[in-house]
Amino acid sequence: MGGHYITLEQRHRLSDTTLYPGSAGGGVVGGSRVGHRRLSSCQVLLLVLVAGSSVIALYAYWDVMTAGARDPDGHSPRQLSNETLAQQLRREVRVLCWVLTTPKYHKSRAVHVMRTWGKRCNKIYFMTSESDDELPTIVLNKSDKYEVLWGKTKEAFTHIYQHMRDEADWFMKADDDTYVFVENLRYMLYPYSPDQAIYFGYNFKMIGAHNKNESYMSGGSGYVLSREALRIFAEGLNDSTKCRQEDNSAEDVEMGRCLLNLDVKAGDSRDSKLRNRFYPLLPFDMLLSGNSGLDFWLYKYAYYSVRSCMDCLSEYPVAFHYVNPEQLYVFDFFNYDFQLVGKQKPEERLPQKIRPEDLVIPDYDNMFT
């Protein structure tokens, strides 16, 4: 053996650069060359840090590239860099608007809707009886008569379901004398899933023989259906036991009855302070109304108690009715161009999502009949 061995004590004392006895510079043990060097603790730590940083960088890149997609649980993506809240909502809460009009109002009403609030919808179509090169029109087969509004509404929603249901998450019906704050509409809808059977508008209570909490939405200020509500309506409206088959009836009342019978929930569109966001009248009529008598039709039909006062309007209204073309542009100016020096802008944040099992719709509280 002649000195060609290492005791246990010697092996523990050898450094990484020590050669085994009998090796001439290369270090051979049992016929194999020893060419490995053990890393120091500092080198190991540095290697771990480099690897960890690489993993974090790759994850951050993946997160940014996939920020525009929803995850399998339906959670909304985060706000992208340099993106306003309105832009985020436009991306996450897609709204298809359709406006009920007639050829005689194409130039005097419909084109002005298109030039103001209509351009803020993700998609917009005008339901009418004649096509128009200035408007994205869909020609209906029904006559231009007020008595067949229910028939036109059925046909319009059916057409949208058959041909355009993948273009949006929510589907808003409005008249050509309605003004819609589309950004506020998206903000209101944000907590709700479009896969839930629900719709929103200004809640009216059913008059006559009906159950306590039956309601429908005002046709004038418009109403919006979720994607699931649209599907249920389009596939169920031919059931004569649930939906009126004749066309000659009040559109909004029949819509409410049909959706109620199809188990589509009539949602509460009021804000956190219980102030309405859809209005069947103009702002002045709601702020300082001269219709103070309790026999005024609005007080009779309102599902939730209604007041007329200077602090009764929501800061984030969605829609007003009886808006003429000139007022459309006034609304646009004071909400998108007008600036007030020194006014502090409120901090805006999105509301919490509402799970379908946590949804609570309050009972009506208007005691006037």
Side-chain angles (χ1 to χ4, degrees):
M1 299 293 290
H4 290 274
Y5 67 92
I6 303 173
T7 66
L8 183 61
E9 292 77 15
Q10 288 175 317
R11 183 172 304 208
H12 282 297
R13 289 196 298 269
L14 288 174
S15 68
D16 293 331
T17 58
T18 301
L19 298 179
Y20 286 95
S23 62
V28 178
V29 177
S32 299
R33 180 174 296 273
V34 179
H36 299 291
R37 296 179 61 186
R38 297 175 60 187
L39 297 176
S40 67
S41 59
C42 291
Q43 291 173 320
V44 172
L45 179 60
L46 180 61
L47 181 61
V48 171
L49 290 175
V50 171
S53 299
S54 300
V55 171
I56 293 173
L58 288 173
Y59 177 80
Y61 176 78
W62 172 84
D63 192 38
V64 170
M65 295 301 293
T66 60
R70 295 179 184 271
D71 65 26
D73 293 328
H75 296 134
S76 298
R78 64 175 181 169
Q79 188 172 358
L80 301 179
S81 60
N82 299 322
E83 183 182 48
T84 66
L85 187 61
Q87 290 170 335
Q88 179 187 359
L89 286 170
R90 182 182 179 91
R91 174 169 54 84
E92 294 187 34
V93 187
R94 300 179 302 157
V95 177
L96 182 152
C97 306
W98 68 268
V99 179
L100 195 58
T101 189
T102 64
K104 70 175 182 178
Y105 290 138
H106 283 187
K107 307 305 180 187
S108 60
R109 293 186 182 181
V111 294
H112 303 295
V113 168
M114 185 67 192
R115 293 168 184 170
T116 54
W117 67 264
K119 62 186 179 183
R120 300 183 184 99
C121 302
N122 294 81
K123 296 282 186 176
I124 184 168
Y125 299 99
F126 292 84
M127 302 293 176
T128 182
S129 59
E130 294 180 12
S131 61
D132 193 311
D133 293 337
E134 286 191 78
L135 299 168
T137 52
I138 294 176
V139 177
L140 302 178
N141 296 318
K142 305 296 180 182
S143 60
D144 288 316
K145 295 181 180 180
Y146 183 82
E147 292 77 16
V148 295
L149 285 181
W150 170 230
K152 295 174 74 172
T153 300
K154 290 188 291 184
E155 184 179 350
F157 271 123
T158 300
H159 180 91
I160 288 173
Y161 174 71
Q162 292 175 344
H163 303 283
M164 303 160 186
R165 62 176 180 262
D166 295 328
E167 295 183 6
D169 307 305
W170 299 86
F171 302 84
M172 173 80 185
K173 176 267 174 186
D175 289 344
D176 55 16
D177 61 346
T178 304
Y179 188 96
V180 180
F181 297 95
V182 183
E183 296 88 348
N184 290 351
L185 173 63
R186 293 190 181 105
Y187 180 81
M188 185 201 76
L189 295 173
Y190 178 81
Y192 303 92
S193 169
D195 296 321
Q196 182 178 5
I198 194 169
Y199 78 122
F200 296 94
Y202 184 90
N203 302 67
F204 280 149
K205 60 183 178 181
M206 293 286 187
I207 301 299
H210 61 87
N211 294 327
K212 178 181 178 181
N213 287 309
E214 290 184 3
S215 68
Y216 66 98
M217 305 300 173
S218 166
S221 54
Y223 44 85
V224 57
L225 276 66
S226 69
R227 181 172 55 231
E228 179 64 6
L230 173 68
R231 183 194 68 80
I232 292 174
F233 174 73
E235 295 180 0
L237 64 87
N238 291 326
D239 185 343
S240 60
T241 65
K242 296 181 178 180
C243 304
R244 182 179 176 86
Q245 301 303 296
E246 295 79 11
D247 296 338
N248 58 339
S249 188
E251 161 243 339
D252 48 7
V253 175
E254 295 303 333
M255 189 71 181
R257 286 174 177 164
C258 181
L259 291 176
L260 175 68
N261 293 333
L262 293 171
D263 295 324
V264 174
K265 291 182 173 60
D268 179 9
S269 64
R270 297 176 298 172
D271 64 17
S272 60
K273 297 180 181 179
L274 303 183
R275 296 172 301 187
N276 289 298
R277 287 189 274 205
F278 286 79
Y279 296 94
L281 300 172
L282 286 166
F284 175 80
D285 294 316
M286 303 305 303
L287 288 170
L288 198 62
S289 177
N291 304 303
S292 57
L294 295 181
D295 58 343
F296 182 52
W297 66 268
L298 182 61
Y299 301 125
K300 180 180 180 180
Y301 281 88
Y303 187 78
Y304 297 113
S305 183
V306 61
R307 298 173 297 157
S308 294
C309 57
M310 289 300 295
D311 61 347
C312 291
L313 290 186
S314 173
E315 287 117 343
Y316 294 92
V318 169
F320 291 99
H321 190 210
Y322 297 124
V323 183
N324 64 42
E326 293 81 5
Q327 292 168 329
L328 291 174
Y329 293 98
V330 173
F331 278 37
D332 247 37
F333 170 74
F334 278 104
N335 287 279
Y336 297 96
D337 299 312
F338 176 80
Q339 299 293 328
L340 187 63
V341 176
K343 182 179 180 180
Q344 184 177 1
K345 293 183 179 180
E347 180 183 359
E348 294 182 325
R349 60 182 62 185
L350 294 174
Q352 294 293 320
K353 291 285 188 178
I354 299 175
R355 299 183 303 174
E357 60 268 27
D358 295 333
L359 177 66
V360 176
I361 299 176
D363 295 343
Y364 82 93
D365 60 3
N366 185 5
M367 298 297 108
F368 295 106
T369 58

